[in-house]
Amino acid sequence: MGSGPPTYDAEPTALPPADPDELDDLVADTVLDGARYGASTIRAASVRGDSARFRGEPRRDSLLTARFGVGEQALVLVAMATGARATPGAHRAAAEACHWIARAVGRSHARLSEDIRAARRGDLKSGLHRLTDRSLGKLRASAAEQGIDPEEYSAGLRCLLLPAHPECRTRVFFGVGPGGLFRLRDGEWQDIEPSVADAIGEAVVGFGSQPAETPDGDRLTMDLGIPTPPSPYEPAPEPPREPFRFRASVARPGDALLMCTGGLAEPLRGEPELSAHLADRWSGPTPPGLAAFLADTQVRVKGYADDRTAAAVWEA
């Protein structure tokens, strides 16, 4: 789709270089997963982009799906991350980000499941904010241990939490960094990605911002656009990071919820023909099978050659 044929071949061309002593570092070209819990059918895929396939570079996107707990108390996590562009360890940073957040969610899954079923939105947002910040903090610590600039060993992270209880239709999205969150309802796409204005709130270590004034109304700062020199007594402040994003919504029967990295979000927003095609494909009476979902996520659009990672949830 698009103004002409895509630049690169449709199938993988070159494999990434391999180190015989670091074979665990290899990343598959494509990952595909799926499940069904309660009223939800899950499909997830991560595919190396056309550009990386041509250049023999590893997939920078990472995908992790996990179930914590058993029976109706179980909680399903879908996590995806994208490593920084043009950095040699991007794929490792993305995988680490997914693993750290999965560990944090897994250790807290009972409380998270309870908060989701009880609709404690405030507790969920603040708790997941802390878990995300700690996970990305561990990623920055890992960069320091390796002697790597933390800005080069970083990743955007996006997650979905899906309770297995058949009567709970609350779906929770949270994360940091670019990508997309869309809902397909009655054959029409809705872009429900939380805006930056919605994302910025009470400061949590590493994210957010301090209030502009005290509770008594005293202004703390005045931004005149003039950079403040670093204090000789304090370390220079870190560069601002991406705001935390959160959305908890109740699904309706027939809905499809799509979370994806920028590699799919950008063409979905920029190419009406692609969004119409996927709306038609995914509005049927039954969710697509694994192979069909993979084929749908790989529909090519000229001018978009990045990795694509997508997870979709269909409601019975």
Side-chain angles (χ1 to χ4, degrees):
M1 296 178 176
S3 59
T7 303
Y8 303 102
D9 292 339
E11 299 295 338
T13 304
L15 289 169
D19 183 337
D21 297 319
E22 298 289 344
L23 295 180
D24 289 343
D25 198 38
L26 294 178
V27 182
D29 176 270
T30 300
V31 174
L32 183 62
D33 208 350
R36 184 171 68 241
Y37 285 97
S40 303
T41 298
I42 306 164
R43 298 286 181 260
S46 185
V47 182
R48 191 163 53 134
D50 289 351
S51 176
R53 284 175 164 181
F54 176 78
R55 302 175 192 280
E57 297 170 351
R59 176 166 47 90
R60 291 188 298 122
D61 278 6
S62 184
L63 171 68
L64 182 150
T65 53
R67 171 178 59 86
F68 302 107
V70 295
E72 294 183 349
Q73 309 305 312
L75 184 66
V76 176
L77 166 71
V78 182
M80 56 184 65
T82 302
R85 188 183 297 274
T87 57
H91 59 295
R92 289 191 293 272
E96 273 200 56
C98 287
H99 289 158
W100 283 120
I101 195 64
R103 288 183 184 180
V105 168
R107 290 167 179 166
S108 304
H109 78 272
R111 174 62 186 274
L112 288 169
S113 295
E114 181 182 339
D115 286 345
I116 292 173
R117 292 195 301 272
R120 300 186 187 112
R121 186 183 185 279
D123 291 346
L124 277 170
K125 183 175 182 180
S126 60
L128 292 170
H129 197 162
R130 286 192 296 270
L131 295 183
T132 301
D133 186 59
R134 290 172 187 168
S135 299
L136 296 181
K138 290 180 181 295
L139 194 63
R140 293 189 292 274
S142 178
E145 291 174 359
Q146 300 176 61
I148 303 172
D149 183 346
E151 295 303 312
E152 294 184 0
Y153 198 75
S154 62
L157 177 66
R158 309 177 71 77
C159 304
L160 274 179
L161 290 179
L162 309 167
H165 198 290
E167 296 181 4
C168 182
R169 288 189 181 267
T170 302
R171 310 295 177 238
V172 176
F173 160 80
F174 66 97
V176 171
L181 183 69
F182 305 92
R183 179 167 55 209
L184 183 59
R185 177 173 287 174
D186 299 327
E188 298 291 335
W189 285 111
Q190 301 171 358
D191 190 337
I192 59 173
E193 173 79 5
S195 68
V196 172
D198 295 334
I200 297 176
E202 181 180 353
V204 175
V205 177
F207 294 92
S209 56
Q210 295 291 341
E213 58 185 39
T214 69
D216 296 328
D218 298 326
R219 297 291 296 179
L220 298 178
T221 59
M222 180 177 293
D223 185 5
L224 300 177
I226 303 172
T228 303
S231 166
Y233 307 106
E234 297 178 2
E238 295 185 14
R241 302 191 186 104
E242 291 277 356
F244 177 76
R245 299 175 187 267
F246 173 90
R247 182 177 294 279
S249 58
V250 178
R252 296 180 186 174
D255 280 356
L257 181 67
L258 173 67
M259 176 181 72
C260 54
T261 59
L264 182 58
E266 291 177 7
L268 261 178
R269 293 185 175 117
E271 182 54 57
E273 191 177 353
L274 176 65
S275 61
H277 174 74
L278 293 183
D280 180 64
R281 291 280 298 168
W282 292 351
S283 294
T286 58
L290 288 177
F293 180 74
L294 176 62
D296 291 340
T297 59
Q298 291 188 103
V299 172
R300 305 170 74 230
V301 182
K302 182 175 176 59
Y304 300 94
D306 284 343
D307 297 350
R308 288 185 181 182
T309 301
V313 183
W314 280 264
E315 303 294 338

